Amino acid sequence: MAESMVVSNVENLMKYMKLDQKGFVMAEYIWIDGNNEVRSKTKTLPGPVKSFEELGEWNFDGSSTGQAPGDNSDVYIRPVATYPDPFRGGDNILVLCETWDSDGSPNKFNYRHEAKRLMEANAEHNFWFGLEQEYTLLSSDGWPYGWPKGGFPGPQGPYYCGVGTGKVYCRDIVEAHYKACLFSGVKIAGINAEVMPGQWEFQVGPCEGIELGDQLWMARFLLCRIAEEFGAKISFQPKPIPGEWNGAGLHANVSTEEMRKEGGMKHIEAAMKKLEKRHEEHIAVYGEGNKDRLTGRHETGSIESFSWGVANRGASVRIPRQCAREGKGYFEDRRPASNADPYQITGIIVETMFGGLPEEKITK
């Protein structure tokens, strides 16, 4: 597998992983930091839990994660969902959390809170979301895995959905991630090798409302944690390699109840008009470094303007041909970068389509 400077002896580790925990449970608390990456730490519970609501609030040093100043560093993590732990097994769990400040307000990097408010306020539209997460596997030196050291592989063409040596790399990591997601209850819909060698994609969904963001973040955690064991790095950069190579996106598939009914195409077309009016606002939250990716080439639309079309992968938004033929269904927003926050993506789409909410008054 990938070269790694990390010393790990699986055979020795397994002796300890098999030890009896005497009824105690290990809960891995997971949150999103100030750099849009996952962090985690473990807490011992007296026994198994059935719901995240049974779990208590915890805290961490926010000055070490880019989420708080040093003179007021406590940031609190509140559980919002639990998943079976594929690494420790048994009754051990993974706990997804929101971040909150000591004054009782959401941390400035807690994008889930506002997105959840938007979802709940527009529950009548029964939003379904699906996200297509592209990512690049890197070796320990930061170069795409499988690429010649300091050089480049052959041109794009044989790698997309490829099979065979020289066409795909790190399939073992991808397969391990797929199985771990299924074990943990993450709604992973599929996987495929991407256009650039060393790049892969997994899909999550369809999910209703806020669940999509939760599921995508947990899938990201599992991917990074598994790659750690193989000595590989995961890059969510939207344009990891300059030049004639495809970038990496986080395409968002969106459908409302109105869109799924007969005559739904008129609601899809109405959404296009609304999305066009707020193109710049969407781009602002669709990921860092997206300008290098959205060039109008390599299956992207231009970052400078909004466009949409049927079966057009060079547009900002694509309407699948089957949906156009049936006159109902969903649309695919192709603008989000691979490093975008799923709560911000889904939140602004709901806001653009059905309006924002008044500022929340939080009792401190």
Side-chain angles (χ1 to χ4, degrees):
M1 195 52 236
E3 296 178 7
S4 175
M5 300 301 292
V6 179
V7 177
S8 179
N9 190 310
V10 176
E11 184 178 354
N12 284 344
L13 173 63
M14 292 310 297
K15 294 189 298 184
Y16 302 100
M17 294 299 287
K18 295 176 182 179
L19 293 177
D20 186 1
Q21 294 181 197
K22 307 297 184 182
F24 292 98
V25 167
M26 302 165 77
E28 191 76 10
Y29 275 55
I30 301 161
W31 69 95
I32 299 98
D33 69 9
N35 298 311
N36 201 40
E37 297 179 348
V38 286
R39 304 269 183 147
S40 73
K41 63 177 185 174
T42 313
K43 185 176 191 177
T44 301
L45 305 179
V49 297
K50 296 181 179 179
S51 169
F52 73 87
E53 295 172 339
E54 299 177 47
L55 299 170
E57 184 179 79
W58 206 7
N59 63 76
F60 65 90
D61 172 16
S63 68
S64 296
T65 64
Q67 291 171 279
D71 60 355
N72 186 20
S73 63
D74 286 354
V75 177
Y76 295 85
I77 38 180
R78 299 178 183 177
V80 296
T82 61
Y83 305 82
D85 188 337
F87 307 108
R88 294 169 173 144
D91 292 322
N92 301 305
I93 55 175
L94 305 176
V95 184
L96 185 66
C97 302
E98 281 191 11
T99 53
W100 290 72
D101 291 335
S102 57
D103 63 1
S105 60
N107 184 264
K108 64 180 179 179
F109 298 104
N110 178 357
Y111 302 121
R112 183 185 190 276
H113 179 71
E114 185 65 16
K116 187 171 185 287
R117 289 183 66 221
L118 284 162
M119 301 298 175
E120 291 176 344
N122 292 283
E124 65 192 86
H125 300 291
N126 194 17
F127 270 91
W128 290 2
F129 294 105
L131 287 177
E132 304 169 27
Q133 176 71 72
E134 296 176 337
Y135 61 94
T136 308
L137 287 149
L138 307 178
S139 58
S140 57
D141 61 3
W143 200 236
Y145 194 82
W147 287 35
K149 296 295 183 183
F152 298 87
Q156 296 182 156
Y159 312 111
Y160 173 69
C161 295
V163 178
T165 301
K167 296 180 180 178
V168 293
Y169 306 98
C170 293
R171 191 184 290 274
D172 45 1
I173 292 177
V174 176
E175 292 290 332
H177 176 245
Y178 202 159
K179 294 279 283 190
C181 284
L182 293 173
F183 176 88
S184 295
V186 171
K187 294 180 179 178
I188 185 168
I191 58 171
N192 61 268
E194 268 301 331
V195 178
M196 188 182 86
Q199 190 180 82
W200 287 82
E201 173 185 299
F202 65 87
Q203 304 90 34
V204 173
C207 299
E208 294 187 23
I210 199 65
E211 184 189 24
L212 188 279
D214 295 348
Q215 296 266 334
L216 195 281
W217 271 115
M218 186 53 60
R220 281 179 173 175
F221 169 81
L222 291 172
L223 179 61
C224 293
R225 177 67 175 76
I226 288 167
E228 172 189 321
E229 295 188 359
F230 286 86
K233 298 179 181 179
I234 302 297
S235 171
F236 294 112
Q237 289 302 309
K239 191 70 174 179
I241 304 296
E244 297 301 311
W245 304 99
N246 274 36
L250 184 59
H251 302 161
N253 298 285
V254 184
S255 180
T256 63
E257 185 170 341
E258 296 88 347
M259 293 178 185
R260 294 188 293 274
K261 292 180 177 179
E262 293 299 323
M265 185 55 66
K266 67 180 180 181
H267 295 282
I268 294 175
E269 292 175 353
M272 296 304 100
K273 295 178 181 179
K274 294 178 179 179
L275 290 172
E276 182 175 16
K277 290 179 180 179
R278 300 193 71 205
H279 177 65
E280 292 183 0
E281 289 94 329
H282 280 250
I283 291 298
V285 298
Y286 273 6
E288 296 292 328
N290 215 6
K291 186 175 182 179
D292 294 330
R293 169 179 163 263
L294 296 181
T295 61
R297 302 179 66 236
H298 304 111
E299 300 183 23
T300 70
S302 171
I303 197 170
E304 302 297 335
S305 61
F306 179 87
S307 61
W308 68 277
V310 175
N312 185 357
R313 283 179 164 77
S316 304
V317 176
R318 178 180 70 95
I319 310 298
R321 188 170 300 284
Q322 181 180 355
C323 295
R325 184 181 298 119
E326 296 179 355
K328 60 182 178 180
Y330 69 98
F331 66 83
E332 177 195 44
D333 191 339
R334 299 177 58 81
R335 295 172 294 173
S338 50
N339 60 6
D341 184 288
Y343 299 130
Q344 288 188 292
I345 294 172
T346 55
I348 196 171
I349 288 173
V350 173
E351 180 182 273
T352 294
M353 290 177 62
F354 296 109
L357 299 174
E359 184 176 351
E360 184 180 25
K361 296 181 180 180
I362 297 177
T363 303
K364 300 182 180 180

